């Protein structure tokens, strides 16, 4: 059994939290005491029914205001799969929280209110989905109960979204008409929309194949920690601990350590009390080398036959996440896997107007702005481009005055 | 089975909105949950079949050999993919997080409560750092109202690991007048732990505390980051959490602040139990069904212990019980259970209609009980 991570996006009140509540409720994933708690809660739907959104709106402020402020994670499983859901906020001001939930997802559910169709937030969120390289998209046209379950309304929205998807190069998009409130096509196929031939949302989520991901074959292991017991019997033990972020390492592979460029051969791959013949993307292991090489945290072990690019000047997409605007005159910190280096924003290439998706020249970058910049780092990074290798092509920016995470960057090209 | 009053789901007002005139068809979970993937089985079968044919004939044909070779290649490809199942994925993520703590902080600590989640954390730390030593001590915030079995377990475990244990004593905080013991029937030392925890952090200058909290436990926890920054007073500010992107964790803090780190954030209760079974991890005996003297308090079974304030209304009964979550005696309820083996426990939890924290008195105070405690510096 494997895990599917997905998130819900859409404008405020499109029904994201309700949809998740419905998924959990109809799969019998809500336990009695939790159900009792929401039944006793003050917040109810207008018709007096229980508001399923409270299940994920876990903060006092959220329940008071009836909105989602920060991402909530929910877990459930069926016979086919385990699911991790990120319920993300719809308000523009909380976009950074939405990006937090989206960054680890395999699939996005974009909710569209059947009465309103494709709106600004739909475009904004779809753009973020394409930027983050999330491969699978479900467009859930919600509140079908409020448009008499009309096929015409659904088709018109799907039609409109198709052209957006094309523009954004979203390749795998599935359209499902639903009512989160009434439960139509969420877990059970609705009898009220006989014209719809596709799967219920849950059924689709159970079978979507995430193995055909964009995972790079190039073997990369950012070193997190060097294990050196320095005891009598393990005097010469030196293990490089880290998680393989892409590709596969095998014993006897020739490897290169970056940034030093030193090369060696893998003599052993350990996982606690086991020795492995190979370690693949996702596995946390300890690597031993045949020769003594100077390696510390922040270095990357790569397969010598597939070297990454090395650069101090990188063109990257940037999502700005701080209330304080980007300041091109100061130095930030850039964290790329286990490596931290100083960085300046050498140039703002453009900013994207996310209503029209047009690119504009700009020199200001404020909260929730998205666009292209040139990063100039103090140390060279051993990187891949995000579109080829997410894990080795992404980094965060930290403001060393506040220590806050102020930006998400995705490497798109070398700039030198 | 469970002592918690069960909610009649079918009277739920939700039913009013459901199709088919109120008959609410629920999704039927498949009983063969963790059954192996059938495509993997198919490849295995074809492989053994091809092998059989090759073995039986005098000599394998070129064609058969090519097929065998191809199938073998397919199976290794498939195996390496399917072998890495959800428990491996959760485990690898947790190990990655633990190693980030080691790499990013000067003085981290692992908060060890003696419960199954922190026991799981210890196993994960072994996987992350052995044969080296842990780059952090274990810290136990001891309410003094413990189950004896937990303390025994703790001491044996520490001896086996050869790691350092630091104990922060709630009794000492009381003796020093830093906190005041609660009074009355439902008095508990659970809330007092926060002060002792913060004092221990300050005394040892810990900059990161690893904890075993999981997001599926409680709705405020469902919102917390894996690296959760706390201010000088240990407070969580849910409205000002840092974005947390991909698998990149920002552990940069100012002096005096510290980070709470939750490596098993994405695990469910069932995941923890399945992991304990898979790894053959020993647990304190109170997790398994045993005879115990209990009283019934607010519909919950509480251990009849000197640490639970009792009066003449309380009737002490002997029952077969086990604990689903283990904290301070005065706030941890038992459930009636016959589950003596880990498989029975897993079966019991899979069917249970009550959440794990349904057995925690501390969460029953209000809708935002956990959020409020976290804002105050709690785990
Ligand atoms: N009629 C109708 N109302 C819905 C549906 N889904 C959600 N709602 C209502 O829309 C409002 C906003 O829902 P919520 O889940 O909080 O939206 P979010 O802001 O996207 O999380 C609530 O009053 C819901 O009851 C639906 O399918 N049909
Ligand atoms: Mg919401």
């Amino acid at each position: 059994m494997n895990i599917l991570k997905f998130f819900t996006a859409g404008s405020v009140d499109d029904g994201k939290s309700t949809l998740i509540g419905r998924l959990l409720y109809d799969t019998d994933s809500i336990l009695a005491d939790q159900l009792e708690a929401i039944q006793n809660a003050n917040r109810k739907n207008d018709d007096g029914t229980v508001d399923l959104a409270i299940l994920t709106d876990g903060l006092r402020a959220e329940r008071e205001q009836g909105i989602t402020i920060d991402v909530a994670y929910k877990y459930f499983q069926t016979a086919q799969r385990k699911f991790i859901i990120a319920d993300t906020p719809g308000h523009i001001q909380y976009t950074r929280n939405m990006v937090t939930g989206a960054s680890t997802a395999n699939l996005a559910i974009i909710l569209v209110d059947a009465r309103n169709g494709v709106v600004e937030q739909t475009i904004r969120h779809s753009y973020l989905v394409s930027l983050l390289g999330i491969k699978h998209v479900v467009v859930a046209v919600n509140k079908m109960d409020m448009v008499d379950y009309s096929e015409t309304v659904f088709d018109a929205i799907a039609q409109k979204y198709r052209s957006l998807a094309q523009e954004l190069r979203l390749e795998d998009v599935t359209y499902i008409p639903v009512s989160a409130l009434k439960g139509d096509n969420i877990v059970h196929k609705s009898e009220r929309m006989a014209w719809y031939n596709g799967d219920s949302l849950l059924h689709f989520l159970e079978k979507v194949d995430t193995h055909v991901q964009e995972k790079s074959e190039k073997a990369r292991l950012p070193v997190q920690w060097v294990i050196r017991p320095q005891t009598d019997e393990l005097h010469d033990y030196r293990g490089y601990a880290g998680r393989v972020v892409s590709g596969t390492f095998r014993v006897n592979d020739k490897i290169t350590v970056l940034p030093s460029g030193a090369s060696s051969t893998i003599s052993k791959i350990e996982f606690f009390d086991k020795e492995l013949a190979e370690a693949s993307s996702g596995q946390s292991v300890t690597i031993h080398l045949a020769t003594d090489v100077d390696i510390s945290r922040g270095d990357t072990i790569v397969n010598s036959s597939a070297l990454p690019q090395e650069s101090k000047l990188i063109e990257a997409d940037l999502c700005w996440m701080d209330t304080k605007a980007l300041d091109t005159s100061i130095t930030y910190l850039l964290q790329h896997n286990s490596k931290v280096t100083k960085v300046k924003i050498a140039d703002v290439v453009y900013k994207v107007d996310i209503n029209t998706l047009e690119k504009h020249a700009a020199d200001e970058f404020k909260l929730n702005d998205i666009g292209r910049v040139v990063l100039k780092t103090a140390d060279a990074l051993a990187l891949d481009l995000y579109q080829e290798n997410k894990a080795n092509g992404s980094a965060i920016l930290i403001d060393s005055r506040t220590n806050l995470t102020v930006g998400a960057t995705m490497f798109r090209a070398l700039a030198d | 089975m469970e002592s918690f009053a069960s909610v009649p789901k079918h009277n739920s007002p939700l039913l009013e909105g459901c199709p088919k005139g109120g008959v609410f068809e629920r999704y039927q979970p498949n009983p063969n949950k963790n059954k192996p993937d059938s495509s993997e089985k198919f490849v295995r079968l074809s492989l053994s079949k091809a092998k059989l044919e090759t073995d039986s004939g005098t000599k394998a044909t070129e064609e058969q050999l090519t097929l065998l070779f191809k199938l073998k290649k397919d199976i290794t490809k498939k195996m390496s993919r399917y072998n890495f199942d959800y428990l491996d994925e959760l485990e690898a993520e947790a190990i990655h997080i633990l190693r980030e703590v080691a790499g990013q902080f000067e003085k981290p600590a692992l908060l060890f409560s003696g419960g199954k989640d922190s026991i799981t954390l210890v196993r994960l730390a072994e996987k992350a750092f052995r044969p080296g030593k842990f780059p952090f001590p274990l810290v136990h915030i001891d309410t003094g109202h413990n189950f004896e079995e937990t303390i025994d377990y703790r001491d044996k475990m520490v001896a086996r690991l050869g790691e350092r244990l630091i104990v922060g004593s709630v009794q000492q905080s009381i003796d020093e007048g830093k906190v005041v013991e609660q009074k009355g029937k439902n008095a508990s030392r659970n809330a007092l732990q926060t002060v002792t925890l913060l004092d221990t952090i300050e005394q040892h200058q810990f900059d990161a505390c690893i904890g075993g909290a999981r997001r599926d436990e409680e709705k405020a926890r469902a919102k917390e980051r894996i690296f959760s920054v706390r201010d000088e007073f240990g407070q969580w500010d849910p409205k000002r959490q840092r974005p947390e992107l991909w698998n990149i964790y920002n552990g940069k803090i100012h002096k005096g602040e510290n980070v709470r780190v939750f490596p098993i954030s994405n695990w469910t209760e069932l995941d923890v139990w399945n992991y304990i079974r898979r790894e053959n991890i020993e647990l304190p005996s109170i997790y398994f069904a045993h005879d115990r003297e209990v009283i019934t308090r607010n519909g919950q079974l509480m251990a009849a212990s000197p640490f639970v304030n009792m009066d003449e209304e309380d009737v002490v009964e002997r029952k077969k019980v086990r604990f689903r979550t283990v904290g301070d005696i005065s706030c941890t309820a038992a459930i009636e259970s016959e589950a003596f083996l880990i498989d029975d426990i897993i079966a019991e939890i899979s069917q249970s209609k009550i959440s794990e924290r349904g057995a925690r008195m501390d969460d029953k105070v209000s809708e935002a009980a956990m959020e409020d405690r976290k804002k105050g510096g709690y785990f």
Side-chain angles (χ1 to χ4, degrees):
Chain A
M1 191 154 53
N2 65 12
I3 303 179
L4 179 80
K5 296 183 185 167
F6 67 90
F7 75 101
T8 49
S11 298
V12 184
D13 283 350
D14 280 352
K16 298 177 291 298
S17 302
T18 309
L19 179 129
I20 289 172
R22 174 57 70 178
L23 262 177
L24 296 171
Y25 188 82
D26 284 4
T27 51
D28 213 359
S29 311
I30 305 173
L31 297 167
D33 54 326
Q34 293 166 341
L35 196 63
E36 185 193 43
I38 63 171
Q39 281 167 340
N40 291 340
N42 294 326
R43 193 168 128 190
K44 289 271 159 60
N45 290 326
D46 297 339
D47 59 358
T49 54
V50 162
D51 183 357
L52 286 172
I54 331 181
L55 276 171
T56 57
D57 288 340
L59 302 175
R60 190 195 290 278
E62 291 177 324
R63 287 190 298 276
E64 280 167 7
Q65 298 169 44
I67 58 163
T68 308
I69 293 172
D70 208 337
V71 50
Y73 295 90
K74 285 281 158 193
Y75 304 81
F76 77 105
Q77 79 183 71
T78 67
Q80 319 307 327
R81 239 189 193 150
K82 284 182 74 79
F83 297 96
I84 300 183
I85 321 173
D87 180 25
T88 68
H91 283 88
I92 291 197
Q93 72 191 103
Y94 303 127
T95 301
R96 56 183 169 182
N97 296 336
M98 181 228 152
V99 176
T100 289
S103 66
T104 52
N106 318 107
L107 180 146
I109 297 179
I110 297 193
L111 270 88
V112 175
D113 185 326
R115 297 168 303 173
N116 307 333
V118 173
V119 295
E120 186 183 319
Q121 284 293 76
T122 320
I123 302 176
R124 182 179 194 89
H125 292 155
S126 302
Y127 181 67
L128 282 166
V129 165
S130 93
L131 205 65
L132 287 165
I134 296 164
K135 285 285 173 260
H136 310 278
V137 176
V138 173
V139 175
V141 179
N142 189 31
K143 308 200 183 180
M144 288 300 291
D145 56 298
M146 300 190 84
V147 296
D148 290 332
Y149 298 100
S150 155
E151 183 177 11
T152 327
V153 170
F154 174 73
D155 283 346
I157 293 170
Q159 194 53 40
K160 184 95 188 282
Y161 195 90
R162 261 182 215 109
S163 51
L164 177 66
Q166 207 163 25
E167 197 175 341
L168 294 173
R169 297 211 192 86
L170 300 172
E171 276 151 25
D172 180 17
V173 185
T174 304
Y175 301 86
I176 306 180
V178 301
S179 168
L181 190 70
K182 312 278 180 190
D184 297 281
N185 287 337
I186 302 291
V187 168
H188 307 287
K189 273 213 67 177
S190 169
E191 291 172 2
R192 292 185 282 226
M193 286 178 274
W195 47 265
Y196 170 72
N197 301 318
D199 293 314
S200 71
L201 177 64
L202 177 71
H203 193 210
F204 179 77
L205 296 174
E206 284 183 323
K207 67 179 204 189
V208 61
D209 184 3
T210 53
H211 277 132
V212 284
Q213 288 280 340
E214 68 303 334
K215 287 256 169 69
S216 167
E217 297 293 315
K218 297 173 179 172
R220 314 272 182 256
L221 179 135
V223 175
Q224 295 181 267
W225 183 249
V226 181
I227 299 179
R228 291 219 62 187
Q230 291 178 304
T231 55
D232 286 344
E233 63 284 24
L234 293 167
H235 193 265
D236 296 321
Y237 184 104
R238 230 174 203 281
Y240 305 105
R243 192 172 190 190
V244 181
V245 297
S246 60
T248 299
F249 287 98
R250 295 181 182 82
V251 173
N252 293 328
D253 275 357
K254 263 196 68 92
I255 59 92
T256 302
V257 181
L258 294 169
S260 75
S263 57
S264 185
T265 307
I266 296 181
S267 58
K268 192 161 72 169
I269 302 174
E270 275 186 317
F271 180 58
F272 189 44
D273 51 1
K274 291 192 208 55
E275 274 192 35
L276 309 178
E278 59 176 54
S280 296
S281 166
Q283 287 180 269
S284 286
V285 294
T286 304
I287 283 187
H288 294 255
L289 300 178
T291 52
D292 267 346
V293 188
D294 180 12
I295 301 181
S296 49
R297 177 178 163 85
D299 292 348
T300 310
I301 297 177
V302 305
N303 190 307
S304 301
S305 63
L307 296 176
Q309 324 212 40
E310 285 184 85
S311 179
K312 291 182 176 179
L313 219 49
I314 307 150
E315 232 186 276
D317 283 324
L318 171 66
C319 300
W320 192 255
M321 304 180 136
D322 197 23
T323 44
K324 217 185 272 174
L326 166 69
D327 183 345
T328 49
S329 71
I330 68 162
T331 300
Y332 292 93
L333 294 174
L334 178 143
Q335 189 171 342
H336 172 234
N337 288 315
S338 57
K339 165 107 187 160
V340 178
T341 178
K342 289 182 175 173
V343 65
K344 278 194 156 189
I345 313 303
D347 189 21
V348 175
V349 183
Y350 59 76
K351 224 163 73 174
V352 175
D353 176 332
I354 91 133
N355 298 323
T356 59
L357 300 179
E358 277 166 12
K359 295 162 184 167
H360 295 286
D363 36 30
E364 208 189 28
F365 239 83
K366 291 191 308 229
L367 178 66
N368 298 322
D369 280 348
I370 297 166
R372 184 66 62 89
V373 296
V374 175
L375 304 169
K376 186 178 171 199
T377 56
D379 299 342
L381 298 180
L383 65 101
D384 294 293
L385 301 182
Y386 188 79
Q387 52 273 34
E388 286 148 23
N389 188 339
K390 275 190 190 180
N392 204 38
S394 52
I396 60 169
L397 297 183
I398 298 167
D399 185 332
S400 47
R401 297 167 298 183
T402 59
N403 288 328
L404 296 177
T405 303
V406 293
T409 65
M410 287 144 277
F411 306 148
R412 298 298 183 187
L414 300 194
D416 47 359
Chain B
M1 286 283 280
E2 311 233 18
S3 55
F4 195 87
S6 88
V7 178
K9 274 195 184 178
H10 288 266
N11 292 334
S12 155
L14 259 169
L15 291 183
E16 287 159 27
C18 79
K20 290 192 214 138
V23 184
F24 211 77
E25 267 184 297
R26 287 181 156 273
Y27 184 81
Q28 287 301 314
N30 185 326
N32 316 321
K33 273 184 182 172
N34 308 313
K35 165 179 100 185
D37 190 278
S38 59
S39 57
E40 181 192 320
K41 242 192 333 234
F42 173 74
V43 178
R44 275 174 191 277
L45 268 171
S46 336
L47 184 62
S48 52
K49 198 162 151 244
K51 198 168 174 311
L52 234 150
E53 278 163 13
T54 322
D55 290 347
S56 65
T58 35
K59 211 169 183 270
T61 65
E62 192 75 11
E63 223 173 4
Q64 278 175 318
L65 282 176
T66 323
L67 177 70
L68 185 60
F69 186 65
K70 192 188 160 296
L71 283 171
K72 221 175 182 162
K73 240 177 102 178
D74 283 356
I75 199 175
T76 22
K77 230 164 120 191
K78 285 240 154 185
M79 292 296 291
S80 58
R81 212 166 71 181
Y82 285 113
N83 268 350
F84 194 67
D85 79 345
Y86 73 95
L87 279 181
D88 296 308
E89 191 175 334
L90 293 170
E91 177 187 58
E93 177 183 66
I95 294 171
H96 174 250
I97 294 163
L98 286 169
R99 287 169 171 172
E100 279 306 289
V101 174
Q104 292 196 34
F105 296 94
E106 301 285 322
K107 279 209 83 183
L110 189 151
L111 300 176
F112 180 81
S113 72
K116 65 180 188 322
D117 297 317
S118 55
I119 291 169
T120 299
L121 279 184
V122 167
R123 167 52 57 97
L124 291 164
E126 288 185 271
K127 293 210 172 188
F129 303 110
R130 289 294 184 241
K133 278 190 94 66
F134 292 178
F136 38 69
L138 307 179
V139 172
H140 181 213
I141 302 303
D142 181 357
T143 62
H145 289 178
N146 298 291
F147 294 97
E148 220 173 279
E149 295 89 337
T150 321
I151 300 298
D152 279 354
Y153 180 94
R154 177 194 79 185
D155 294 340
K156 280 200 196 114
M157 187 196 75
V158 168
R160 172 182 70 79
L161 291 169
E163 298 289 349
R164 195 155 78 97
L165 173 74
I166 292 170
V167 178
S169 159
V170 173
Q171 185 62 53
Q172 196 180 332
S173 303
I174 293 170
D175 295 344
E176 287 169 2
K178 287 184 170 158
V179 289
V180 181
E181 185 109 63
Q182 291 179 357
K183 294 204 173 62
K185 218 169 151 161
N186 294 321
S188 162
R189 284 187 171 181
N190 188 56
L192 311 186
Q193 286 181 93
T194 301
V195 173
T196 313
L197 171 67
L198 297 179
D199 282 353
T200 311
I201 290 172
E202 195 175 324
Q203 185 194 339
H204 294 272
Q205 300 281 298
F206 292 130
D207 51 3
C209 295
I210 302 161
R214 307 186 325 267
R215 286 170 174 159
D216 87 321
E217 278 178 79
E218 203 283 331
K219 57 190 179 309
R221 284 196 164 159
K223 296 258 159 189
E224 196 165 8
R225 301 284 186 257
I226 289 176
F227 270 40
S228 178
V229 180
R230 302 298 177 92
D231 69 9
E232 223 175 312
F233 303 95
Q235 301 179 107
W236 179 51
D237 185 352
K239 281 176 131 173
R240 293 195 48 219
Q241 298 201 87
R242 293 177 182 176
E244 192 162 80
L245 297 136
W246 299 290
N247 300 311
I248 310 175
Y249 304 103
N250 172 6
K252 292 263 179 304
I253 48 170
H254 294 294
K255 216 173 154 43
E257 293 176 337
N258 70 85
V259 179
R260 304 287 168 83
V261 179
F262 304 112
I264 58 169
S265 284
N266 287 324
W267 298 41
T268 63
E269 183 189 15
L270 207 50
D271 295 337
V272 171
W273 281 105
N274 277 316
Y275 188 72
I276 287 168
R277 168 167 66 177
R278 190 184 85 169
E279 299 290 314
N280 237 323
I281 299 170
E282 197 197 323
L283 288 183
S285 53
I286 50 172
Y287 277 108
F288 302 93
H290 58 280
D291 287 317
R292 183 180 287 270
E293 306 218 307
V294 292
I295 56 168
T296 306
R297 202 41 92 66
N298 308 327
Q300 308 243 39
L301 295 179
M302 306 296 294
S305 131
F307 304 132
V308 175
N309 294 340
M310 289 188 278
D311 58 28
E312 51 291 347
E313 275 174 36
D314 291 311
V315 185
V316 178
E317 294 170 282
R318 206 168 170 77
K319 287 196 163 152
K320 187 150 254 172
V321 299
R322 65 177 196 86
F323 291 88
R324 211 169 144 185
T325 160
V326 170
D328 184 82
I329 286 195
S330 55
C331 76
T332 312
I335 54 171
E336 275 192 83
S337 170
E338 298 283 337
F340 189 66
L341 298 170
I342 196 150
D343 286 312
D344 303 334
I345 292 177
I346 289 173
E348 195 178 276
I349 295 168
S350 308
Q351 283 156 24
S352 171
K353 291 275 163 268
I354 310 288
S355 80
E356 180 182 352
R357 294 203 79 89
R360 293 290 288 251
M361 312 299 279
D362 44 341
D363 287 343
K364 301 224 164 265
V365 182
S366 82
E367 237 194 315
M370 174 65 87
E371 179 179 346
D372 291 343
R373 271 179 294 144
K374 275 184 173 290
K375 282 178 178 164
Y378 190 70
F379 298 109

